[in-house]
């Protein structure tokens, strides 16, 4: 029997998490079996339990990892109002809409996360609140908590806008929904900054 180093095991685990992130966002939690998730990582189904106790543990870990990565990407954006607008425009872009496997876990998985166990929902809540708190700090740097709920509400609207745009068969209408969503989000965020 081959023994692998802790570094190898951790790298393998991270590869599973990263490939699972793309697959789950593309095919959904229910549409992604363990065998498929492991095959995506170039591993056998049997190797799964050396890294995770259950599919639910993998889902919770993957959701947390995806949100952490999204937060890191958002932190690279310019500060202040210009950065806020850049985030909104990137989020509600046709490119983001058309590539769910590379995009936001909220827009791709929110309906399924709501039906997951508490562990996954807690991982999601912690991750999304970290993103919201960073976003709120851009809007109200002297009192981010004052903008938290408003920012979360705007985020929810952006997620819903992206989901609706993905579901529409009429491409022109789907693009118009994104454009109106950008306008709505920026208007609400500007109102948040003024209040």
């Amino acid at each position: 029997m081959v023994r692998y180093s802790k570094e190898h095991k951790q790298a393998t685990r991270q590869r599973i998490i990263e490939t699972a992130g793309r697959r789950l966002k593309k095919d959904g939690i229910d549409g992604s079996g363990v065998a498929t998730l492991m095959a995506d990582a170039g591993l056998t189904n049997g190797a799964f339990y050396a890294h995770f106790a259950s599919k639910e543990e993998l889902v919770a870990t993957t959701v947390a990892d995806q949100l952490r990565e999204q937060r890191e990407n958002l932190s690279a954006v310019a500060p202040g109002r210009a950065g806020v607008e850049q985030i909104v425009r990137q989020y509600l872009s046709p490119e983001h809409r058309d590539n769910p496997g590379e995009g936001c876990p909220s827009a791709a998985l929110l309906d399924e996360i709501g039906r997951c166990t508490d562990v996954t929902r807690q991982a999601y809540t912690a991750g999304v609140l970290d993103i919201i708190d960073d976003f709120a700090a851009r809007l109200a740097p002297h009192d981010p908590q004052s903008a938290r709920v408003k920012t979360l509400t705007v985020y929810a609207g952006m997620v819903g806008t992206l989901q609706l745009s993905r579901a529409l068969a009429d491409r022109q209408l789907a693009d118009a929904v994104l454009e109106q969503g950008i306008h709505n989000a920026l208007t609400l965020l500007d109102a948040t900054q003024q209040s």
Side-chain angles (χ1 to χ4, degrees):
M1 184 170 162
V2 176
R3 291 253 182 228
Y4 292 105
S5 69
K6 287 183 181 182
E7 293 80 17
H8 180 269
K9 185 173 181 178
Q10 184 56 38
T12 301
R13 178 182 167 88
Q14 189 58 38
R15 186 171 78 235
I16 296 166
I17 293 166
E18 289 171 4
T19 58
R22 286 188 294 277
R23 174 65 69 173
L24 293 174
K25 290 185 295 184
K26 183 174 170 265
D27 294 344
I29 295 168
D30 292 339
S32 303
V34 169
T36 300
L37 295 170
M38 293 303 284
D40 287 350
L43 299 166
T44 64
N45 197 23
F48 178 81
Y49 294 100
H51 299 280
F52 302 97
S54 65
K55 180 181 174 187
E56 189 62 40
E57 180 188 348
L58 172 60
V59 169
T61 303
T62 300
V63 166
D65 185 72
Q66 290 288 307
L67 289 167
R68 179 198 49 75
E69 185 179 317
Q70 184 178 16
R71 182 181 183 202
E72 288 173 3
N73 291 340
L74 293 175
S75 70
V77 175
R81 172 65 171 74
V84 168
E85 183 166 344
Q86 184 181 354
I87 290 167
V88 169
R89 290 187 181 283
Q90 285 175 348
Y91 192 90
L92 294 176
S93 69
E95 295 77 25
H96 186 203
R97 175 197 57 211
D98 298 342
N99 294 292
E102 300 301 321
C104 173
S106 296
L109 299 172
L110 197 57
D111 61 327
E112 289 185 277
I113 290 171
R115 293 188 302 271
C116 285
T117 64
D118 282 346
V119 173
T120 299
R121 290 194 340 263
Q122 288 170 356
Y124 177 78
T125 300
V128 83
L129 288 178
D130 285 343
I131 291 169
I132 294 306
D133 289 345
D134 287 356
F135 207 84
R138 290 172 178 271
L139 297 171
H142 301 296
D143 186 14
Q145 281 301 114
S146 70
R148 188 183 212 199
V149 173
K150 290 178 185 176
T151 304
L152 188 57
T153 302
V154 171
Y155 181 75
M158 290 168 53
V159 169
T161 297
L162 189 60
Q163 289 175 319
L164 180 61
S165 181
R166 284 179 176 162
L168 293 171
D170 181 334
R171 180 68 157 206
Q172 190 173 10
L173 180 58
D175 289 345
V177 165
L178 290 178
E179 280 302 316
Q180 186 62 50
I182 291 168
H183 172 76
N184 294 348
L186 293 175
T187 299
L188 289 169
L189 290 169
D190 286 341
T192 299
Q193 283 184 300
Q194 295 168 4
S195 58

